[in-house]
Amino acid sequence: MRTLTIDGHSLRLDDVAAFLSGDVRVAASPQSLERVRHCATFVARVAKGDEPHYGINTGFGKFARVRVRAQDEVELQHNLLRSHATASGPPLERDVVRLMMVLRANSLLA
């Protein structure tokens, strides 16, 4: 099986079609993974600091100026994921979910 390497820049419609047909599996490029590691290191560093960083060690929206206690920062991130992972209505079709996942993963690697 062919591997489609996503990097945030070069995904084409025919790549997406091949992925949806099941002809390819997806992997992130090494350069993209290094950028993700770099960002994760930055977030971990600023979370430990005293300076406020929106959504990392502060609340969101009207709570943007409210500092979150260090022991609650992980829970804050979990709650953010939970709040964005809920919806109403019937579940989406499998291919729609797969398409959304590959497009989102590709955009995060840019």
Side-chain angles (χ1 to χ4, degrees):
M1 179 178 282
R2 181 172 75 95
T3 299
L4 168 62
T5 303
I6 57 175
D7 60 9
H9 303 287
S10 58
L11 186 64
R12 300 182 329 241
L13 285 176
D14 58 330
D15 294 328
V16 172
F19 168 71
L20 290 176
S21 72
D23 292 339
V24 298
R25 64 176 167 243
V26 175
S29 73
Q31 299 86 356
S32 296
L33 292 176
E34 183 54 37
R35 287 194 303 270
V36 169
R37 280 190 284 279
H38 178 77
C39 290
T41 300
F42 170 80
V43 168
R45 182 170 38 85
V46 300
K48 291 179 183 175
D50 292 330
E51 187 176 337
H53 290 273
Y54 181 78
I56 297 173
N57 55 13
T58 72
F60 301 93
K62 69 180 183 178
F63 299 107
R65 297 187 188 278
V66 176
R67 182 63 186 246
V68 175
R69 297 180 311 167
Q71 63 264 33
D72 295 330
E73 289 171 359
V74 171
E75 184 178 0
L76 173 72
Q77 298 306 312
H78 286 163
N79 288 341
L80 176 65
L81 289 173
R82 287 182 188 113
S83 73
H84 285 73
T86 59
S88 61
L92 297 172
E93 294 179 26
R94 182 176 185 269
D95 281 348
V96 172
V97 173
R98 292 182 77 229
L99 174 62
M100 290 172 19
M101 290 175 67
V102 76
L103 292 175
R104 182 66 177 139
N106 187 65
S107 71
L108 291 172
L109 297 174

